[in-house]
Amino acid sequence: RRVVGAMAQRIVLTLQARPQERPEAGVSYREEPRLALWRVALQLWRDHPALGIGLDAFQLGYPRHRSLEVWRVAGHRTPQNAHNELLQTLATQGAAGLLALVSRLARADESAAGAAAPASRPAVALVVAGAVLLPLEWALVLQPLRADRAARAAQVADLSRPGEGLPWLRRAVGLDPRRDLLWSRLGVSAYSLASLLPSGSQQAAFFDESRAAFERASALVPVNPYHHQNRARVLLEQALARPAAAQPGEVFAAFDQALGLDPLNPYLAVEAGRAALRLGDVARVRAAAERCRSSDDQYGACEWLLANLDISAGLAPAAPGGERERLLTQAGERLKRAAYLRWYEDDSAQALAASQGAAALITVGRLQEGKELAELAVYKDPRFADARYNLGKAWERLGDRGRAAQSY
């Protein structure tokens, strides 16, 4: 009774907690996102009150209820649990799981109070049970453990050279073919290796293997949006290859599946917009940018997408001189604004936006602004050669050849 009463009190206190609509000054970095996570957990329980969404499935149900508060702290990373044992139990196991947890804690409380331990089962019964369960143990425990060992070996091998872990991941999915995350890791490894190779049959073979792995992951857990996003990334490379091994429509369909499962994720919208940029679909780029803005208007990548449309139009051979300058000025101003918005620890993307903005503003003669953006790009990514080149060009046109030479 004491355990049940204490848990009931905790549930009431948790249900009464309500996050503010927007983070205010003085709200701690940890407190606000955690309250938002609890709100998602409660929503998942309301959606599946009896049995919950399923064990270890919090991260699969979370995207449909993604909140701006958590996004602004965690970015596109998806929380794997609710950071609250009671709410995690309710979300993943429902009322049945909560009752089981209460019952177990109540028995533990009775044992601590001096209740007698149950008599041990006869040894013969244990031996018989072990023999009966041995095949299940092999299939459900030992094989997955061997697969985990192979996956860890792949991780170590990739530290020495990208792609070295691919044979180990092939072994892992052979040992445990029902686990989607192993197939996803295989797809990432094959994709990374293909990206390092020149165009040709070997690169195409690795892209084929990556696509097949992501398709298998998507089939095993179709509600995981990142499986569809990863599949779209491979399809994009295949659509751009010559000869093409995929069609633009397949790329966009895969991104639409991902966004349908995680509609408020600005990162997925931006990834879809990047793909549309490379495929030259202006309407889809604009739609992706607007979708990104509607989710988080403080995310710099939303402006970055629109600025790249201006750059493409401004640098087109058919663009008249006056229109070219207008478009590049507009792009530079967009990129300057984007560079100082939120990038959620994606320093390389922020550096790219700042460097592109520097190049556009330098081209139209706004040298001081271009120099400042180039400095920001170098600060965010000191190894980014384009940023150092743009900084050198700005210093050169400002008349400081010494600093220009140092940047070059």
mmCIF file of all heavy atoms in Angstrom, residues 2 50 85 104 130 144 146 156 164 170 172 226 235 255 278 281 287 292 297 335 338-339 365 381 392 402:
data_model
loop_
_atom_site.group_PDB
_atom_site.id
_atom_site.type_symbol
_atom_site.label_atom_id
_atom_site.label_comp_id
_atom_site.label_asym_id
_atom_site.label_seq_id
_atom_site.Cartn_x
_atom_site.Cartn_y
_atom_site.Cartn_z
ATOM 1 N N ARG A 2 1.972 1.179 0.797
ATOM 2 C CA ARG A 2 2.863 2.357 0.829
ATOM 3 C C ARG A 2 3.443 2.638 -0.541
ATOM 4 O O ARG A 2 3.526 3.787 -0.971
ATOM 5 C CB ARG A 2 3.987 2.136 1.854
ATOM 6 C CG ARG A 2 3.525 2.160 3.301
ATOM 7 C CD ARG A 2 4.730 2.284 4.232
ATOM 8 N NE ARG A 2 5.672 1.194 4.033
ATOM 9 C CZ ARG A 2 5.608 0.035 4.697
ATOM 10 N NH1 ARG A 2 4.615 -0.175 5.562
ATOM 11 N NH2 ARG A 2 6.509 -0.903 4.497
ATOM 12 N N ALA A 50 -3.930 0.945 -23.132
ATOM 13 C CA ALA A 50 -3.914 -0.373 -22.507
ATOM 14 C C ALA A 50 -2.516 -0.982 -22.451
ATOM 15 O O ALA A 50 -2.014 -1.339 -21.382
ATOM 16 C CB ALA A 50 -4.868 -1.312 -23.233
ATOM 17 N N GLU A 85 10.719 7.220 -15.211
ATOM 18 C CA GLU A 85 10.406 5.785 -15.229
ATOM 19 C C GLU A 85 8.912 5.516 -15.334
ATOM 20 O O GLU A 85 8.465 4.644 -16.092
ATOM 21 C CB GLU A 85 10.979 5.111 -13.982
ATOM 22 C CG GLU A 85 10.790 3.597 -13.975
ATOM 23 C CD GLU A 85 11.393 2.944 -12.748
ATOM 24 O OE1 GLU A 85 12.082 3.644 -11.986
ATOM 25 O OE2 GLU A 85 11.145 1.745 -12.557
ATOM 26 N N ARG A 104 5.146 -5.463 -8.754
ATOM 27 C CA ARG A 104 6.513 -5.909 -8.455
ATOM 28 C C ARG A 104 7.109 -5.104 -7.306
ATOM 29 O O ARG A 104 7.748 -5.655 -6.413
ATOM 30 C CB ARG A 104 7.375 -5.760 -9.702
ATOM 31 C CG ARG A 104 8.802 -6.229 -9.510
ATOM 32 C CD ARG A 104 9.564 -6.189 -10.806
ATOM 33 N NE ARG A 104 10.933 -6.641 -10.633
ATOM 34 C CZ ARG A 104 11.825 -6.698 -11.601
ATOM 35 N NH1 ARG A 104 11.486 -6.333 -12.823
ATOM 36 N NH2 ARG A 104 13.055 -7.120 -11.367
ATOM 37 N N GLY A 130 15.427 -25.526 -18.853
ATOM 38 C CA GLY A 130 16.584 -25.059 -19.619
ATOM 39 C C GLY A 130 16.697 -25.751 -20.955
ATOM 40 O O GLY A 130 16.999 -25.130 -21.975
ATOM 41 N N PRO A 144 21.779 -12.677 -31.264
ATOM 42 C CA PRO A 144 21.882 -11.216 -31.180
ATOM 43 C C PRO A 144 23.151 -10.735 -30.493
ATOM 44 O O PRO A 144 23.714 -9.704 -30.881
ATOM 45 C CB PRO A 144 20.635 -10.829 -30.374
ATOM 46 C CG PRO A 144 19.652 -11.908 -30.678
ATOM 47 C CD PRO A 144 20.470 -13.154 -30.765
ATOM 48 N N ARG A 146 26.071 -12.249 -30.584
ATOM 49 C CA ARG A 146 27.137 -12.386 -31.593
ATOM 50 C C ARG A 146 27.044 -11.263 -32.630
ATOM 51 O O ARG A 146 28.067 -10.746 -33.096
ATOM 52 C CB ARG A 146 27.031 -13.750 -32.271
ATOM 53 C CG ARG A 146 27.310 -14.934 -31.334
ATOM 54 C CD ARG A 146 27.075 -16.246 -32.048
ATOM 55 N NE ARG A 146 28.058 -16.446 -33.116
ATOM 56 C CZ ARG A 146 27.911 -17.324 -34.116
ATOM 57 N NH1 ARG A 146 26.798 -18.055 -34.186
ATOM 58 N NH2 ARG A 146 28.835 -17.454 -35.032
ATOM 59 N N VAL A 156 35.101 -0.404 -34.469
ATOM 60 C CA VAL A 156 36.538 -0.269 -34.240
ATOM 61 C C VAL A 156 37.288 -0.238 -35.571
ATOM 62 O O VAL A 156 38.208 0.569 -35.767
ATOM 63 C CB VAL A 156 37.048 -1.434 -33.361
ATOM 64 C CG1 VAL A 156 38.571 -1.409 -33.266
ATOM 65 C CG2 VAL A 156 36.428 -1.352 -31.973
ATOM 66 N N GLU A 164 36.157 -0.053 -43.558
ATOM 67 C CA GLU A 164 36.794 -1.284 -43.104
ATOM 68 C C GLU A 164 35.819 -2.158 -42.318
ATOM 69 O O GLU A 164 35.985 -3.374 -42.244
ATOM 70 C CB GLU A 164 38.009 -0.963 -42.233
ATOM 71 C CG GLU A 164 39.227 -0.473 -43.006
ATOM 72 C CD GLU A 164 39.835 -1.564 -43.873
ATOM 73 O OE1 GLU A 164 40.131 -2.649 -43.354
ATOM 74 O OE2 GLU A 164 40.004 -1.327 -45.089
ATOM 75 N N ARG A 170 28.104 -6.865 -42.463
ATOM 76 C CA ARG A 170 27.439 -7.909 -43.245
ATOM 77 C C ARG A 170 27.257 -9.165 -42.393
ATOM 78 O O ARG A 170 26.229 -9.844 -42.465
ATOM 79 C CB ARG A 170 28.263 -8.227 -44.488
ATOM 80 C CG ARG A 170 28.266 -7.123 -45.537
ATOM 81 C CD ARG A 170 29.299 -7.401 -46.602
ATOM 82 N NE ARG A 170 29.323 -6.374 -47.648
ATOM 83 C CZ ARG A 170 30.393 -6.118 -48.407
ATOM 84 N NH1 ARG A 170 31.521 -6.823 -48.235
ATOM 85 N NH2 ARG A 170 30.336 -5.173 -49.321
ATOM 86 N N ALA A 172 27.015 -9.159 -39.125
ATOM 87 C CA ALA A 172 26.039 -8.832 -38.081
ATOM 88 C C ALA A 172 24.611 -9.032 -38.575
ATOM 89 O O ALA A 172 23.778 -9.623 -37.877
ATOM 90 C CB ALA A 172 26.244 -7.401 -37.591
ATOM 91 N N TYR A 226 13.828 8.055 -40.194
ATOM 92 C CA TYR A 226 15.208 8.175 -40.650
ATOM 93 C C TYR A 226 15.611 7.044 -41.589
ATOM 94 O O TYR A 226 16.526 7.202 -42.396
ATOM 95 C CB TYR A 226 16.154 8.268 -39.453
ATOM 96 C CG TYR A 226 15.978 9.577 -38.722
ATOM 97 C CD1 TYR A 226 15.290 9.639 -37.521
ATOM 98 C CD2 TYR A 226 16.454 10.757 -39.271
ATOM 99 C CE1 TYR A 226 15.098 10.841 -36.865
ATOM 100 C CE2 TYR A 226 16.266 11.971 -38.624
ATOM 101 C CZ TYR A 226 15.594 12.005 -37.422
ATOM 102 O OH TYR A 226 15.408 13.204 -36.792
ATOM 103 N N LEU A 235 19.006 7.143 -52.996
ATOM 104 C CA LEU A 235 18.275 7.314 -54.254
ATOM 105 C C LEU A 235 18.689 8.599 -54.961
ATOM 106 O O LEU A 235 18.757 8.646 -56.199
ATOM 107 C CB LEU A 235 16.766 7.323 -53.986
ATOM 108 C CG LEU A 235 16.149 5.977 -53.590
ATOM 109 C CD1 LEU A 235 14.730 6.180 -53.071
ATOM 110 C CD2 LEU A 235 16.137 5.021 -54.778
ATOM 111 N N PHE A 255 11.424 10.941 -49.296
ATOM 112 C CA PHE A 255 11.424 12.075 -48.362
ATOM 113 C C PHE A 255 10.006 12.365 -47.860
ATOM 114 O O PHE A 255 9.822 12.706 -46.683
ATOM 115 C CB PHE A 255 12.011 13.317 -49.020
ATOM 116 C CG PHE A 255 13.500 13.413 -48.920
ATOM 117 C CD1 PHE A 255 14.295 13.445 -50.053
ATOM 118 C CD2 PHE A 255 14.119 13.478 -47.680
ATOM 119 C CE1 PHE A 255 15.669 13.537 -49.955
ATOM 120 C CE2 PHE A 255 15.501 13.576 -47.573
ATOM 121 C CZ PHE A 255 16.283 13.600 -48.712
ATOM 122 N N ARG A 278 19.657 19.982 -55.718
ATOM 123 C CA ARG A 278 20.567 19.241 -56.595
ATOM 124 C C ARG A 278 19.853 18.701 -57.823
ATOM 125 O O ARG A 278 20.461 18.535 -58.879
ATOM 126 C CB ARG A 278 21.211 18.098 -55.815
ATOM 127 C CG ARG A 278 22.127 18.578 -54.695
ATOM 128 C CD ARG A 278 22.783 17.427 -53.986
ATOM 129 N NE ARG A 278 23.681 16.678 -54.854
ATOM 130 C CZ ARG A 278 24.275 15.537 -54.521
ATOM 131 N NH1 ARG A 278 24.037 14.997 -53.323
ATOM 132 N NH2 ARG A 278 25.076 14.924 -55.370
ATOM 133 N N ASP A 281 14.629 21.193 -58.797
ATOM 134 C CA ASP A 281 13.182 21.351 -58.659
ATOM 135 C C ASP A 281 12.918 22.567 -57.760
ATOM 136 O O ASP A 281 12.867 22.460 -56.532
ATOM 137 C CB ASP A 281 12.579 20.083 -58.046
ATOM 138 C CG ASP A 281 11.063 20.049 -58.140
ATOM 139 O OD1 ASP A 281 10.440 21.112 -57.961
ATOM 140 O OD2 ASP A 281 10.500 18.968 -58.377
ATOM 141 N N ALA A 287 8.917 24.894 -51.265
ATOM 142 C CA ALA A 287 7.987 24.219 -50.355
ATOM 143 C C ALA A 287 8.723 23.697 -49.117
ATOM 144 O O ALA A 287 8.217 23.801 -47.988
ATOM 145 C CB ALA A 287 7.296 23.067 -51.084
ATOM 146 N N CYS A 292 10.044 24.205 -43.397
ATOM 147 C CA CYS A 292 11.061 24.383 -42.367
ATOM 148 C C CYS A 292 10.740 25.605 -41.507
ATOM 149 O O CYS A 292 10.775 25.538 -40.272
ATOM 150 C CB CYS A 292 12.439 24.523 -43.034
ATOM 151 S SG CYS A 292 13.794 24.866 -41.913
ATOM 152 N N ASP A 297 11.190 28.939 -37.285
ATOM 153 C CA ASP A 297 11.634 30.082 -38.083
ATOM 154 C C ASP A 297 12.980 30.635 -37.629
ATOM 155 O O ASP A 297 13.497 31.587 -38.231
ATOM 156 C CB ASP A 297 10.577 31.186 -38.093
ATOM 157 C CG ASP A 297 10.251 31.696 -36.686
ATOM 158 O OD1 ASP A 297 10.898 31.234 -35.721
ATOM 159 O OD2 ASP A 297 9.356 32.549 -36.566
ATOM 160 N N LEU A 335 21.742 35.013 -46.508
ATOM 161 C CA LEU A 335 22.768 34.166 -45.895
ATOM 162 C C LEU A 335 23.380 34.827 -44.670
ATOM 163 O O LEU A 335 23.752 34.148 -43.701
ATOM 164 C CB LEU A 335 23.850 33.835 -46.928
ATOM 165 C CG LEU A 335 23.397 32.859 -48.021
ATOM 166 C CD1 LEU A 335 24.373 32.850 -49.184
ATOM 167 C CD2 LEU A 335 23.240 31.446 -47.451
ATOM 168 N N ALA A 338 20.870 34.180 -42.097
ATOM 169 C CA ALA A 338 20.878 32.753 -41.747
ATOM 170 C C ALA A 338 22.075 32.389 -40.881
ATOM 171 O O ALA A 338 21.968 31.576 -39.961
ATOM 172 C CB ALA A 338 20.882 31.910 -43.017
ATOM 173 N N ALA A 339 23.223 32.993 -41.174
ATOM 174 C CA ALA A 339 24.454 32.626 -40.469
ATOM 175 C C ALA A 339 24.384 32.917 -38.982
ATOM 176 O O ALA A 339 25.079 32.268 -38.186
ATOM 177 C CB ALA A 339 25.641 33.349 -41.089
ATOM 178 N N GLY A 365 30.268 44.057 -53.920
ATOM 179 C CA GLY A 365 31.015 45.199 -53.402
ATOM 180 C C GLY A 365 30.803 45.530 -51.940
ATOM 181 O O GLY A 365 31.327 46.538 -51.458
ATOM 182 N N ASP A 381 34.510 26.666 -38.878
ATOM 183 C CA ASP A 381 35.172 25.509 -39.493
ATOM 184 C C ASP A 381 36.540 25.939 -40.010
ATOM 185 O O ASP A 381 36.695 26.317 -41.172
ATOM 186 C CB ASP A 381 34.322 24.956 -40.639
ATOM 187 C CG ASP A 381 34.866 23.632 -41.181
ATOM 188 O OD1 ASP A 381 35.948 23.198 -40.735
ATOM 189 O OD2 ASP A 381 34.201 23.029 -42.040
ATOM 190 N N GLY A 392 40.408 35.818 -47.705
ATOM 191 C CA GLY A 392 41.544 36.418 -48.404
ATOM 192 C C GLY A 392 41.115 37.390 -49.485
ATOM 193 O O GLY A 392 41.699 38.473 -49.641
ATOM 194 N N GLY A 402 48.772 41.763 -46.912
ATOM 195 C CA GLY A 402 49.409 40.873 -45.949
ATOM 196 C C GLY A 402 48.419 39.871 -45.366
ATOM 197 O O GLY A 402 48.681 38.662 -45.329
#
